[in-house]
Amino acid sequence: MTDSCQPPTHQSSDEARVRVIPAGPVHGCIRPPGSKSITNRALICAAFAAGESTLFGALRSEDTAVMIDALKEVGVVIQASEGGRTLRVDAGTRRKATTANPTLDLFVANSGTTIRFLTAALSAAGGNYRLHGVPRMHERPIADLVSALSAVQLGKIETRSPGGCPPVLIQSDGWGQSQIEVAGSVSSQYLSGLMMAVPIANATNDKPGETRIDVRGELVSRPYVDMTANVMRAFGADPNLIESQTANESISLCVGPATYQARQYNIEPDASAASYFWAAAAITGGSVTVQGLTRTAMQGDVRFCSVLESMGCDIQYQDDAITVSGRADRGVDVDMNAISDTVQTLSVVALFANGPTRVRGVAHNRFKETDRIGNLATELRKLGATVQEHDDGMTIHPLDACDFTPATLETYNDHRMAMSFSLAGLRLNGITILNPACTTKTYPEFFADLERLIGRPHHWA
């Protein structure tokens, strides 16, 4: 067994496992890497803009690398510097496959943002494409987005796996309609993809006008849609969100005839990643400051701090940082629809509260990188915890010290499973996490950063 901040080099990621060592309250300060959500949105806008853009503070991870590689396949020139944190994006050489050229084959691994954003963008731009990924990607639904695009696209678009899942085949001559309807209950990324595609369609349309998008039914993860609108505006587009007054629609929006223009753009640190460090303070009764994020950050996941506050933590909002102090000692009943990427983080915090925690509004979490309700409950039970699953979430009961069982936890190749489970190791000895390298999807340096924050090495096997 070795004590270092990276897995032994002679072992594959499938064989590697890590154990975080408990040792009292966590105190420190950290700045997470750039937001994955903002990075991939900015890449789409820059890749279809007129001119050369520069993105500062970009995230270097598997999900952003997949997006960059796919954009390069369609001819966008992207040059990285400063360890991938600065990206120069020039769409001047972008190409599309046509009847005279073969279909462009684009691999998206298991990146939901990449396949959803690119499916809409390439449909609007026109051309022939096949988007496919790892086996789990071919189990993740995209039918609602493809159905919405089918109504406006000139040409053919279809899914090739059962249940309306990828691969996605696109044979497009651009868009011919300006009215779109999409379901919002599975993923807000469908709406975000359509929103970002409208200025691309405008650029290929001789007479662009206003495009209206209506969301049918509930819209999950609404803050991500607001984020999309903010990024679009930074690149010259003009989305206008309208709160719907009808029973069958949650929101509508109109996107004007503007096209994307090149920009220099700064990307916030990742608020979802920050949740693990705030939780480290809440679990251990310490104090952790996350730099680069504020109460008014573009990312909705900063609201995770409000949940911790309701559990008993003290929250301090500074001009360029947020500090969480004290232990989260009260269970809560909370709707996490708007911040569903932090459900796994909260579930581990809830193990150490003094009452049960009920999480609501996250039925769509079953369709993420893994089933983030069922599989999460399975692993927490291995520790001796009592967890009830519900249609829209789960209830986590505090873990009695007498019931705790040291265990090896599966991550299901889900980065958020690995990062969340590491937090339990801050209080409980004997928790081993399999496949920790899956964090490369969004945060390759997570375990090294956690090690620096807590001031002691993990145990790698």
Side-chain angles (χ1 to χ4, degrees):
M1 189 169 288
T2 61
D3 292 342
S4 68
C5 66
Q6 296 296 336
T9 57
H10 69 278
Q11 292 181 316
S12 71
S13 60
D14 289 338
E15 296 172 323
R17 54 190 67 197
V18 65
R19 182 159 54 91
V20 175
I21 308 303
V26 174
H27 295 272
C29 182
I30 193 165
R31 185 184 182 97
S35 162
K36 177 201 76 171
S37 299
I38 299 178
T39 298
N40 273 356
R41 283 164 171 80
L43 278 166
I44 288 287
C45 295
F48 293 88
E52 182 179 278
S53 297
T54 304
L55 312 181
F56 300 101
L59 173 66
R60 180 183 62 85
S61 72
E62 179 184 299
D63 269 15
T64 55
V66 165
M67 176 69 86
I68 290 169
D69 289 346
L71 290 171
K72 286 180 176 179
E73 283 293 317
V74 300
V76 180
V77 175
I78 302 178
Q79 297 177 315
S81 60
E82 297 183 353
R85 292 185 295 274
T86 298
L87 302 173
R88 294 171 66 90
V89 184
D90 185 357
T93 58
R94 186 171 53 81
R95 64 194 175 98
K96 63 182 180 181
T98 65
T99 54
N101 295 308
T103 297
L104 292 176
D105 196 73
L106 306 178
F107 179 72
V108 299
N110 196 20
S111 174
T113 55
T114 301
I115 195 165
R116 291 158 182 169
F117 295 171
L118 273 180
T119 293
L122 296 174
S123 168
N128 302 330
Y129 312 92
R130 177 178 176 268
L131 287 77
H132 65 104
V134 300
R136 173 60 182 170
M137 174 56 73
H138 297 171
E139 299 172 348
R140 299 178 67 181
I142 197 170
D144 288 335
L145 176 59
V146 170
S147 177
L149 290 168
S150 295
V152 297
Q153 180 186 292
L154 301 173
K156 181 180 181 181
I157 180 169
E158 62 182 5
T159 58
R160 290 298 183 91
S161 290
C165 298
V168 178
L169 185 66
I170 302 172
Q171 296 171 329
S172 174
D173 292 318
W175 288 3
Q177 301 291 330
S178 58
Q179 183 85 25
I180 308 174
E181 183 179 86
V182 65
S185 61
V186 173
S187 175
S188 66
Q189 291 173 5
Y190 299 160
L191 176 57
S192 287
L194 292 169
M195 290 167 61
M196 288 188 289
V198 173
I200 301 170
N202 291 342
T204 59
N205 192 329
D206 291 337
K207 296 179 181 179
E210 186 176 79
T211 298
R212 180 183 175 95
I213 307 174
D214 296 316
V215 177
R216 185 176 66 255
E218 175 194 22
L219 175 65
V220 298
S221 304
R222 164 65 186 271
Y224 285 96
V225 175
D226 297 323
M227 176 197 299
T228 301
N230 286 331
V231 176
M232 290 174 64
R233 292 185 188 108
F235 285 85
D238 50 357
N240 178 31
L241 276 72
I242 306 165
E243 299 293 340
S244 178
Q245 302 300 315
T246 68
N248 294 327
E249 297 172 0
S250 51
I251 69 168
S252 298
L253 60 96
C254 294
V255 183
T259 58
Y260 291 128
Q261 304 300 312
R263 292 287 188 269
Q264 292 191 344
Y265 186 75
N266 292 306
I267 295 169
E268 292 177 351
D270 195 296
S272 302
S275 74
Y276 307 113
F277 303 118
W278 289 320
I283 288 170
T284 65
S287 180
V288 173
T289 298
V290 173
Q291 298 175 321
L293 290 170
T294 67
R295 187 198 294 266
T296 60
M298 190 187 307
Q299 301 163 81
D301 280 355
V302 296
R303 299 179 193 176
F304 181 73
C305 293
S306 298
V307 180
L308 295 180
E309 186 173 33
S310 68
M311 297 180 79
C313 295
D314 177 67
I315 313 298
Q316 296 181 359
Y317 296 96
Q318 294 102 42
D319 290 340
D320 191 42
I322 302 175
T323 300
V324 172
S325 303
R327 199 169 75 82
D329 57 3
R330 297 193 294 267
V332 291
D333 189 322
V334 57
D335 188 322
M336 299 189 73
N337 183 285
I339 55 171
S340 58
D341 276 347
T342 63
V343 169
Q344 289 138 296
T345 320
L346 182 67
S347 71
V348 176
V349 176
L351 293 177
F352 305 101
N354 292 327
T357 291
R358 171 71 160 94
V359 175
R360 303 179 185 272
V362 295
H364 59 287
N365 269 21
R366 292 193 185 275
F367 305 104
K368 300 273 190 173
E369 282 83 343
T370 188
D371 178 349
R372 288 182 174 172
I373 296 175
N375 292 340
L376 175 59
T378 295
E379 299 310 307
L380 294 179
R381 290 174 187 137
K382 289 180 181 179
L383 302 176
T386 298
V387 182
Q388 282 106 30
E389 296 182 47
H390 311 291
D391 289 342
D392 72 334
M394 59 200 309
T395 299
I396 306 101
H397 295 266
L399 178 61
D400 190 296
C402 297
D403 295 330
F404 168 64
T405 303
T408 297
L409 302 181
E410 297 281 353
T411 55
Y412 304 87
N413 205 35
D414 183 345
H415 53 130
R416 301 207 185 281
M417 288 289 203
M419 291 186 279
S420 297
F421 292 156
S422 71
L423 303 174
L426 297 173
R427 285 279 298 271
L428 302 171
N429 198 11
I431 297 177
T432 300
I433 301 165
L434 296 176
N435 189 21
C438 67
T439 62
T440 58
K441 188 174 193 297
T442 58
Y443 197 165
E445 297 84 16
F446 171 76
F447 281 103
D449 283 356
L450 179 62
E451 194 172 67
R452 283 191 287 270
L453 178 68
I454 65 179
R456 58 186 180 274
H458 313 314
H459 284 185
W460 292 90

